[in-house]
Amino acid sequence: MGTRNLNNVLQQLINPPSPQKLEVTRGGTVFRVGDRVIQLTNDYNREVFNGDVGFITNIDTEEQEVIVQYQERDVTYDYADLNELGLAWSVTIHKSQGSEYPVVIMPIYTQHYMLLSRNLIYTGLTRAKKLAIIVGSKKAISAISFANAMAVRSVNQKERYTQLRERLAQI
């Protein structure tokens, strides 16, 4: 149920290999023309930042470069820099960084009980523009009775020390 496995499965369904599509493998990840990718670090030289999502438009095997289109701008990566990218057919709630998507599918299982909290589920659901689908075990989250669900009962909220109240009072 992890994003690595989901990305591999979704890549095979949405952007399967074909003789017409160039691909390169780096760090156990296959990058293929047409793949949706996410920038994993801030790269000030290329002006792409953690969480930026784009599509691979070209792979140049002679120059050993991958071209990613972010909105309307092409960014070139050397093969050696592909560790800055990950497949983005599936992303974690944390990596979505406030973005919205037409459809959100949230797998929720007890194997990841440390991540089960009302706040995280709420955040994941609010990423969906049109449709949110929750799949998982009844023990982790019950679509029928949220009151008995581990995820909904656990608030797991950390106190934040922002001094917001004091700052607002000063204004």
Side-chain angles (χ1 to χ4, degrees):
M1 286 282 105
T3 55
R4 241 182 249 126
N5 185 56
L6 286 171
N7 271 313
N8 292 336
V9 170
L10 290 169
Q11 181 187 47
Q12 293 303 314
L13 293 171
I14 299 169
N15 191 30
S18 112
Q20 293 80 27
K21 293 181 189 173
L22 292 173
E23 60 183 49
V24 60
T25 302
R26 285 294 179 268
T29 301
V30 175
F31 294 100
R32 184 175 300 129
V33 170
D35 275 341
R36 180 185 164 125
V37 293
I38 187 168
Q39 177 73 23
L40 301 173
T41 60
N42 291 330
D43 187 328
Y44 296 98
N45 293 328
R46 290 188 182 95
E47 296 181 6
V48 289
F49 304 98
N50 187 15
D52 287 352
V53 175
F55 286 89
I56 296 176
T57 57
N58 191 26
I59 296 176
D60 187 332
T61 55
E62 284 187 30
E63 295 294 322
Q64 295 194 335
E65 294 177 335
V66 173
I67 311 298
V68 177
Q69 184 176 24
Y70 294 98
Q71 295 182 348
E72 297 177 16
R73 188 170 75 88
D74 288 343
V75 177
T76 303
Y77 293 85
D78 294 327
Y79 281 7
D81 296 327
L82 291 179
N83 61 330
E84 293 184 18
L85 295 177
L87 292 175
W89 300 112
S90 168
V91 296
T92 65
I93 293 169
H94 295 95
K95 281 198 173 121
S96 66
Q97 300 207 2
S99 299
E100 289 184 321
Y101 303 93
V103 177
V104 169
I105 302 171
M106 289 183 15
I108 300 174
Y109 288 88
T110 56
Q111 289 87 335
H112 305 287
Y113 69 93
M114 294 296 290
L115 296 174
L116 293 179
S117 72
R118 185 179 351 194
N119 311 28
L120 203 54
I121 291 173
Y122 174 80
T123 301
L125 291 174
T126 60
R127 301 288 184 249
K129 285 183 181 179
K130 295 182 181 179
L131 177 65
I133 301 169
I134 297 175
V135 292
S137 68
K138 285 185 181 182
K139 187 174 181 183
I141 184 164
S142 172
I144 299 167
S145 173
F146 284 102
N148 295 325
M150 284 172 51
V152 175
R153 284 184 303 170
S154 171
V155 175
N156 196 15
Q157 188 170 340
K158 294 179 181 167
E159 193 164 340
R160 297 181 185 181
Y161 301 100
T162 62
Q163 297 182 342
L164 179 61
R165 182 181 299 167
E166 291 80 8
R167 290 178 184 174
L168 289 173
Q170 288 175 357
I171 292 174

